[in-house]
Amino acid sequence: MKRTFVFVLVTILSCAGIQAQRALSEKVDYFSLRTPNNPLDESIKTYKVIVETPYTLTVEELNAKSLEDFEKEKENYANVVAESEKEYEERLASYDDDVKKAEARYDKEMKDFKELSLLERLALTDQGKKPKLKVPAKPTYVKPREPVYVKPNLDDHLIFDNQVLADGVELLGYEKGSDILFIINISKMVFQDNGGQTFYSQPTSLKVLKGAETIAEKNFDEEFKFLTSSSSNTINLDRYEKNNVNKIMKEISQYINEEFGYIPVASSIKIEYPKNRKREYDILENAKIKAISAYRKLRKDASFDTRARSKSELEAVRDIWKSELAKVDYKDKKAVMNKQVAKMIFFNLMRVDISLKDKTQAEETLNMMQERRIDLDLNYDEKARFTRLEEQVYNMD
């Protein structure tokens, strides 16, 4: 009985020891940066955008013209009223004659109807074609409404502030300045009717300059495209043109950032660590705290300097993890630094390497882990996790 008790107690303590090394984890959200298709030279830190358009109408001019038209409308109101009264008197004077004409037309139609056979009359009656007296309504006078000033709808007019358009283009990852220049030239929109439908083109050019050197050029909306299934003489052309200018600016902004900017991408990472009840894993717990802190600095609007500091901190944490790996005893399950702890460290290293886009270091970590695959004795879930990370390493640029 005593032996059995001792055996059970040893088993429980052994399991407790293994359980104490079960991997815990903390997930942290951060923003990584998408690498542009054509990264600019490292000497370029700032940018400037210039927009040129053919539109010269201003809000002030439109409001002034609108007020001018309103004043003319007020001045002409008496004439409009007089004309409406005259028209009413004319319609009223001819009303009796219109009634007599309607009655005469009805009498003739009824005479012709009565001359038909009974079957013909019944057929027309069933079809609702029996003659009916349609007496016109007596005219009533409605006085024209007095002019009321309505502020013009800016959406219906081609009003643009070129500087506002330029300010709407932001090169992510850079500050405003003059190291590189983006010149956007927008032409007038051209409409074309074809088969009752409207097509359009609005040739727009983008030129990227570093000093006198042209780095890139691209054209937008050169070819005719479908606009609407209605004819051009039935639609508000200015409204369509204004909407298209805004669409072009949005496309150019997206293109500029995909080619040259560093677009923030919402990301997350999981950092694993062992329980530290007996303070045996203080180094690993401190490394976890430092890693989480470094990632939390990577906010959406984090500057390049902040990102550089965060990267430096993460590289220091990697060195700590590598030093701790050297202490692992892969054969002794009861060792403080055993294979369970090694798995946590390896997975942390691979995730951080990938997040830093450090392909060389990621491949080195992957090779180290592959060499220890037998010693690590990964379970089913750990193998699947390893395979996913392995594929990410192979797919790194």
Side-chain angles (χ1 to χ4, degrees):
M1 182 68 179
K2 189 175 182 180
R3 286 183 178 178
T4 303
F5 175 76
V6 172
F7 174 75
V8 172
L9 182 60
V10 170
T11 302
I12 293 173
L13 291 174
S14 176
C15 290
I18 295 173
Q19 181 67 15
Q21 293 172 343
R22 180 176 63 85
L24 301 176
S25 65
E26 185 170 343
K27 178 183 173 184
V28 59
D29 297 323
Y30 68 100
F31 282 89
S32 60
L33 291 180
R34 175 191 171 277
T35 302
N37 298 334
N38 294 303
L40 296 171
D41 188 86
E42 291 184 359
S43 63
I44 296 175
K45 305 295 182 184
T46 63
Y47 71 99
K48 182 178 181 180
V49 178
I50 295 176
V51 177
E52 300 170 346
T53 69
Y55 311 110
T56 58
L57 181 65
T58 66
V59 174
E60 291 75 15
E61 290 172 342
L62 178 62
N63 286 333
K65 180 66 167 58
S66 178
L67 285 170
E68 181 183 338
D69 292 342
F70 174 63
E71 292 299 326
K72 289 180 180 178
E73 192 177 355
K74 283 198 302 182
E75 290 176 7
N76 192 49
Y77 179 64
N79 295 331
V80 172
V81 171
E83 187 64 30
S84 70
E85 291 173 346
K86 179 182 177 183
E87 183 183 343
Y88 166 71
E89 293 297 336
E90 290 174 351
R91 286 190 290 114
L92 189 62
S94 65
Y95 175 68
D96 291 339
D97 289 339
D98 293 339
V99 171
K100 289 178 182 178
K101 289 177 183 178
E103 290 173 342
R105 186 165 52 250
Y106 171 72
D107 290 341
K108 181 179 183 306
E109 290 175 351
M110 280 301 295
K111 180 181 177 182
D112 294 340
F113 179 76
K114 291 176 180 179
E115 292 176 354
L116 298 173
S117 67
L118 177 61
L119 289 176
E120 288 174 327
R121 293 199 301 273
L122 290 173
L124 288 175
T125 301
D126 288 341
Q127 296 172 21
K129 295 181 179 179
K130 182 179 178 179
K132 296 178 182 178
L133 177 60
K134 298 178 182 177
V135 179
K138 190 172 183 177
T140 56
Y141 179 70
V142 178
K143 187 177 181 178
R145 189 174 133 190
E146 289 190 33
V148 177
Y149 180 70
V150 179
K151 203 168 183 180
N153 185 351
L154 300 183
D155 289 337
D156 291 334
H157 299 273
L158 293 170
I159 299 175
F160 292 100
D161 184 324
N162 291 349
Q163 189 56 53
V164 171
L165 290 177
D167 290 341
V169 179
E170 179 184 7
L171 181 60
L172 298 173
Y174 294 84
E175 300 292 330
K176 292 290 182 68
S178 58
D179 290 346
I180 192 168
L181 181 63
F182 296 93
I183 300 178
I184 301 168
N185 191 299
I186 303 175
S187 66
K188 285 286 293 179
M189 196 171 186
V190 179
F191 298 94
Q192 185 180 85
D193 284 332
N194 189 348
Q197 298 178 326
T198 302
F199 295 79
Y200 80 96
S201 72
Q202 190 166 20
T204 300
S205 65
L206 167 67
K207 184 175 288 189
V208 186
L209 301 174
K210 182 187 177 185
E213 178 189 1
T214 300
I215 295 177
E217 289 183 277
K218 185 172 175 61
N219 295 321
F220 299 81
D221 273 11
E222 285 185 296
E223 304 296 327
F224 275 93
K225 299 177 184 177
F226 173 79
L227 181 66
T228 175
S229 57
S230 301
S231 173
S232 64
N233 59 7
T234 65
I235 61 176
N236 187 326
L237 299 179
D238 283 355
R239 181 179 285 257
Y240 275 101
E241 185 163 356
K242 186 163 190 175
N243 289 342
N244 196 63
V245 169
N246 292 325
K247 177 185 74 71
I248 289 174
M249 291 302 301
K250 186 176 180 180
E251 289 177 359
I252 291 176
S253 180
Q254 182 177 342
Y255 170 79
I256 286 174
N257 278 289
E258 287 179 351
E259 290 297 302
F260 312 108
Y262 290 85
I263 302 173
V265 179
S267 308
S268 64
I269 191 169
K270 183 171 71 174
I271 303 297
E272 298 183 22
Y273 58 97
K275 285 185 178 180
N276 192 28
R277 289 178 180 172
K278 297 181 180 181
R279 304 296 298 272
E280 296 170 315
Y281 302 106
D282 278 358
I283 295 177
L284 290 177
E285 186 164 351
N286 285 331
K288 180 265 296 186
I289 292 170
K290 291 178 180 178
I292 295 297
S293 175
Y295 279 111
R296 283 179 177 157
K297 293 174 184 175
L298 301 178
R299 297 189 300 272
K300 190 173 185 178
D301 58 350
S303 66
F304 278 154
D305 288 342
T306 298
R307 291 184 177 277
R309 287 195 300 271
S310 177
K311 180 181 178 183
S312 178
E313 291 166 8
L314 289 171
E315 288 172 344
V317 171
R318 281 196 314 199
D319 290 339
I320 294 172
W321 282 330
K322 289 179 183 178
S323 297
E324 291 302 287
L325 269 181
K327 303 175 184 178
V328 172
D329 185 338
Y330 293 91
K331 304 300 182 183
D332 186 357
K333 293 182 180 180
K334 298 179 183 180
V336 173
M337 297 295 291
N338 58 25
K339 66 181 179 182
Q340 298 299 329
V341 177
K343 292 177 188 178
M344 303 176 207
I345 295 174
F346 272 123
F347 282 129
N348 285 345
L349 283 169
M350 288 184 68
R351 292 191 188 102
V352 172
D353 292 341
I354 293 169
S355 75
L356 294 178
K357 298 181 175 64
D358 190 339
K359 185 174 183 179
T360 301
Q361 187 60 54
E363 290 176 342
E364 181 180 319
T365 302
L366 178 61
N367 291 334
M368 289 168 57
M369 194 170 181
Q370 286 171 334
E371 290 174 0
R372 287 291 185 180
R373 279 293 297 271
I374 296 176
D375 294 331
L376 290 170
D377 189 23
L378 301 178
N379 62 31
Y380 179 82
D381 290 338
E382 291 165 345
K383 287 178 182 177
R385 211 183 317 161
F386 172 78
T387 300
R388 288 194 296 271
L389 292 170
E390 184 180 36
E391 290 174 351
Q392 291 182 51
V393 172
Y394 291 149
N395 291 327
M396 291 177 72
D397 295 329

